């Protein structure tokens, strides 16, 4: 897990950042009343004066209801909602239901938590007139594919260092990376030292054309950067790869003084590692944006184990069938590695007496193009036969 800050390597001095009039994107985009905490400091935080990539931050919201006709299976139902439906827990929350924020619909290719992270990072890079971006990830990395698309749409070149060997048949996020970016496959032994690998490639790109200045930016694997970061009680459930999305959400909640909590389902590391990541990102956030008064002594994220723990990337029997069942019953696409973990946790919370006073909301982080890669690894699970019931 890489927690390095964004590093800019240039072949010439950067021009000064473009001067833009002060904006209030957080308050206006969330459409909530100003919180006293936001104005306790007479000098406004830089967090309130930044540009964003997405023209609109809104995403559709679905209500997911479920019944349990037997002891081993669930049946799901979906209804599209507007934000106004969420105003009251008594009116909006029937028994055994939760809400789904469809961030997977933000962009055809750049969606989910990748769109939210790049929403903050891309304008920062554009302000410094970067010409080339370098990042890294696995062969089916949603992050590298998203960055390549964003760069191509804005006239920049994306250089993607992918771990391992080139797949025999490019598909899914690997195909998107190949279509939109300049891809190099890196031996695993070299990839193990990411910092050195990225810096060497940045120097190569910066000096590959004599007399042509290249402004090269290195973006962390997974875009793990501090820049990427109502009275109703809400339990916001999200899957956690690097953990950056969960920490960013929790920081926003704490910043606005909302009575919400972030529940992050750990997928790739131990609880101790995620808590270490959280402390690092929170510390950087407070330092960069001048929010030293933010209280985080006991942590701001509730880290939980996956319902069915396993080594990261492994798919258990029945999980692809369960994703098919949910897609056919609700129209919501899930993948068994990331979003299914959050879905199962949301179901548990929605059916729990401990959360009866809260709305349970799952944030769909995208990633469904990863199904293309899984179809190659688990071909027999994608047969034409109907989905089997999956026991929780």
């Amino acid at each position: 897990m890489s927690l390095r800050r964004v590093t800019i390597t240039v072949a010439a001095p950067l021009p000064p950042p473009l001067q833009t009039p002060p904006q209030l994107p957080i308050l206006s985009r969330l459409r909530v009343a100003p919180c006293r905490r936001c104005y306790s400091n007479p000098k406004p935080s830089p967090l309130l004066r930044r540009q964003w990539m997405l023209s609109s931050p809104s995403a559709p919201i679905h209500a997911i209801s479920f019944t349990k006709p037997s002891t081993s299976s669930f049946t799901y139902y979906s209804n599209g909602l507007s934000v106004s439906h969420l105003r009251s827990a008594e009116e909006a929350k029937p028994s055994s239901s939760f809400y789904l924020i469809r961030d997977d619909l933000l962009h055809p290719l750049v969606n989910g938590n990748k769109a939210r992270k790049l929403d903050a990072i891309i304008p920062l890079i554009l302000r410094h007139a970067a010409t080339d971006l370098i990042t890294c990830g696995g062969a089916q990395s949603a992050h590298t594919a998203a960055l390549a698309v964003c760069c191509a749409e804005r006239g920049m070149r994306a250089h993607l260092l992918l771990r391992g060997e080139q797949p025999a048949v490019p598909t899914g996020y690997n195909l998107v990376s190949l279509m939109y970016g300049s891809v190099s496959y890196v031996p695993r032994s070299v990839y193990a030292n990411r910092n050195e690998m990225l810096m060497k490639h940045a120097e190569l790109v910066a000096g590959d054309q004599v007399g042509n200045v290249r402004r090269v930016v290195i973006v962390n694997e997974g875009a793990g950067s501090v820049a990427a970061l109502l009275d109703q009680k809400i339990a916001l459930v999200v899957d956690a790869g690097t953990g950056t999305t969960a920490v960013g959400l929790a920081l926003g909640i704490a910043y606005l003084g909302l009575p919400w909590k972030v529940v992050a389902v750990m997928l790739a590391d131990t609880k101790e590692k995620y808590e270490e990541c959280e402390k690092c990102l929170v510390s950087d956030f407070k330092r960069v944006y001048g929010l030293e008064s933010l209280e985080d002594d006991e942590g701001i994220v509730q880290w939980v184990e996956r319902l069915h723990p396993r080594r990261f990337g492994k798919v258990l029997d029945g999980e692809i069938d369960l994703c098919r069942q949910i897609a056919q019953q609700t129209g919501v696409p899930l993948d068994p590695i990331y979003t299914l973990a959050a879905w199962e946790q949301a179901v548990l919370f929605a059916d729990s007496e401990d959360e009866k006073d809260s709305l349970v909301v799952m944030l769909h982080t995208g990633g469904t193009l990863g199904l293309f890669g899984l179809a190659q690894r688990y071909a027999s699970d994608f047969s034409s036969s109907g989905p089997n019931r999956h026991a929780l």
Side-chain angles (χ1 to χ4, degrees), residues 95-131:
S95 60
S96 299
S97 69
F98 63 94
Y99 295 92
L100 179 66
I101 302 175
R102 296 294 306 275
D103 269 12
D104 57 314
L105 301 179
L106 285 171
H107 185 284
L109 297 174
V110 184
N111 53 45
N113 64 333
K114 307 308 176 190
R116 297 297 186 187
K117 292 178 182 179
L118 295 177
D119 191 23
I121 291 176
I122 292 297
L124 177 64
I125 293 170
L126 288 174
R127 287 179 63 197
H128 290 92
T131 60

Side-chain angles (χ1 to χ4, degrees), residues 226-240:
V226 66
L229 302 175
L230 309 171
D231 294 329
Q232 172 63 56
K233 291 183 178 179
I234 291 179
L236 186 58
V237 181
V238 63
D239 53 86

Side-chain angles (χ1 to χ4, degrees), residues 1 3 242-244 273-282:
M1 182 185 303
L3 298 175
T242 63
T244 307
K273 290 292 186 180
Y274 279 110
E275 289 176 341
E276 181 182 339
C277 163
E278 176 186 341
K279 289 180 180 178
C280 179
L281 288 174
V282 170

Side-chain angles (χ1 to χ4, degrees), residues 64-70 72-77 95-97 325 329 347 351 389 392:
I64 305 296
S65 305
F66 56 91
T67 60
K68 197 173 184 180
S70 69
S72 61
S73 64
F74 287 88
T75 300
Y76 299 98
Y77 309 90
S95 60
S96 299
S97 69
Q325 173 198 341
Q329 292 180 351
V347 169
D351 211 27
R389 294 292 183 180
L392 287 178

Side-chain angles (χ1 to χ4, degrees), residues 292-311:
E292 296 298 334
S293 60
L294 183 67
E295 298 178 0
D296 62 305
D297 295 338
E298 298 181 0
I300 57 176
V301 178
Q302 180 180 338
W303 304 100
V304 299
E305 291 282 356
R306 186 170 186 171
L307 182 62
H308 304 290
R310 83 291 300 275
R311 178 175 54 83

